[in-house]
Amino acid sequence: MPRIAGFLFAAAMIALLTPVAQAQQIADRVSALAVRDFAEKVAAVEALAATGDVRAVPVLEALAGGSLFILKADGRVVVAEKQGKVYLLSDPVSGTVLGEAGKKEIKKIRVNNRLRGVIAGALGGLTLLDPDPEVRLKAADAVFKSRDPALIPTLESVLARETNDAIRRRVEQALAATRLFAEASAEARIAAIETLAVSAEPEVRALLGGLLANADDGGPLEQDAQVRAAAAAALESIEDRLALWALVGNLFQGLSLGSVLLLAAIGLAITFGVMGVINMAHGEMVMLGAYTTFLVQELFRDHWPGGFDYSVLVAVPAAFAVSGLVGIAVERGIIRFLYGRPLETLLATWGLSLILQQLVRTIFGPTNREVGTPSWMTGGWELAGGVILTYNRVAIIVFGALVLGVLIVVLRKTAFGLRMRAVTQNRRMAGAMGIPTGRIDALTFGLGSGIAGMAGVALSQIDNVSPNLGQSYIIDSFMVVVFGGVGNLWGTLVGALSLGVANKFLEPYAGAVLAKILILVAVILFIQKRPTGLFALKGRAVET
């Protein structure tokens, strides 16, 4: 019994003294950072990280952030934050406030680029077991960049217990990258390269490319021929996958741009197709929709901040109503007196666009207005190869498809749509059948303007809201309408998506400006061969 009591007492004492010993160990290794030689600082950082104690994290973060200092009086390492003319001091491990000090009483512990890399890797190793998945993912990225051989046991331990697939893949890459530069045998390094070869990340491509690069003396950095061959094969495989993902990214960007062009041009296709009116103020209807979104969001910010995520949903019908009513007023006040005189219509609507721009400048000012993005449209899906499908552009693609679908239903399944199609095909016959062509003209112009207003809601989520917003899309809108076929909605859809995708695929090679010029030249040449566009309208009035 006395022996058992002695064992229990010893175990209790060890349990009590272990935290004290660990705290003293951390404190001693923090004190070791107060040296001038950077090689000794690197060793001190690695020793601090080797403790595996999470209390080392704020110390290393303070060192990397330039807020770790030495008290000149006793050489103690402290965290110092400037407040006015003095520095507030605190203990780097416990965070206990230690008082104040003047600038001349402390000395900053300086870091260089190499030490910053070591610190990043050490922080990554210490935070790989953090409960937050985002923190663990960032930690794996930091270890991948630092490739500190001392972290190999930690990475192996993390890999054995990690359940998140995305983090697990990143830890595997970090472990393989570290082994690639730490292992001596060619077999182990080739195995690490094979692990990296399944990736499609630009960082892995840069890593393998650096391995095959030439040193200053003209020879390869990697001397082993088998390792070089494995790295070259892996690099070629990664290049092929990156090219495929770049294709996916360009296709998504093209569809996104095509959806924007569709929303901007679909209203123009209606007014141009039904009435033959060249409406140069169509872009300003888009601009009015964007400013309506701004006003709706301001109302939400002032009266219902908690419901801000619903502001865009309210802005869609509001923008349709505002731009639609303005469109009806324009048709009744200006356009109806100029039917059959296309040049005068063009000049009148161009002058109207200038008036609307100046009116908006007078009310809202010439500077851009901030339009917020709801939380459900913030962020995106991150795919391999650095491709990100942002939620706001995905929402615009879906919104464009919904608008087109609803418009097709309205035109094909409602009495208004039937009358509008009748006026499109043969205005005189429709009038003889009792259809009020003047009212249909006004409602059609209002419908096209209202859709332009909804396009402004979508554009406010990806572009600057300014008085010149509509001018950026009016030429592209006319190009889409003419290319697809005047007044044909399916032609407008095909034309918008075709021009959007073609533009995004040309931009990486020709630049944004030259790509637009090439697209314009291609459309002009196409119209020379097919003046009616991709899909021509059918009807007696059109054919004659």
Side-chain angles (χ1 to χ4, degrees), residues 479-480 482-483 499 518-528:
M479 195 160 53
V480 167
V482 174
F483 176 65
L499 295 182
L518 292 175
I519 293 294
L520 178 60
V521 171
V523 171
I524 292 173
L525 294 177
F526 176 81
I527 295 302
Q528 292 293 319

Side-chain angles (χ1 to χ4, degrees), residues 444-505:
T444 301
F445 204 91
L447 177 63
S449 300
I451 294 174
M454 292 194 294
V457 178
L459 287 175
S460 68
Q461 301 301 309
I462 61 172
D463 207 344
N464 295 324
V465 176
S466 68
N468 299 321
L469 173 64
Q471 295 299 304
S472 304
Y473 295 94
I474 184 64
I475 301 300
D476 290 337
S477 298
F478 274 110
M479 195 160 53
V480 167
V481 171
V482 174
F483 176 65
V486 177
N488 191 296
L489 294 182
W490 290 115
T492 304
L493 171 64
V494 174
L497 296 183
S498 300
L499 295 182
V501 171
N503 192 75
K504 285 302 177 182
F505 273 92

Side-chain angles (χ1 to χ4, degrees), residues 309 312-313 372-380 390-396 457-458 460-462:
D309 284 349
V312 171
L313 302 179
T373 301
S375 60
W376 52 274
M377 290 177 64
T378 304
T390 56
Y391 295 147
N392 58 346
R393 291 189 176 273
V394 172
I396 289 175
V457 178
S460 68
Q461 301 301 309
I462 61 172

Side-chain angles (χ1 to χ4, degrees), residues 12 29 168 179 181 284 309 342 383:
R29 297 190 180 187
R168 185 178 178 83
R179 284 175 172 167
F181 289 90
E284 279 55 52
D309 284 349
L383 307 180

Side-chain angles (χ1 to χ4, degrees), residues 347-370:
L347 292 175
T349 54
W350 179 63
L352 177 64
S353 73
L354 297 179
I355 293 173
L356 290 175
Q357 288 180 45
Q358 190 56 47
L359 179 63
V360 168
R361 285 192 184 93
T362 303
I363 298 174
F364 297 100
T367 57
N368 295 340
R369 289 293 179 173
E370 179 186 358

Side-chain angles (χ1 to χ4, degrees), residues 26 48-49 51-61 92-93 123 125-131:
I26 291 288
L48 186 60
T51 62
D53 197 315
V54 294
R55 289 176 292 181
V57 172
V59 180
L60 295 177
E61 289 177 343
V93 178
L123 285 171
L126 289 168
T127 53
L128 278 171
L129 299 176
D130 193 280

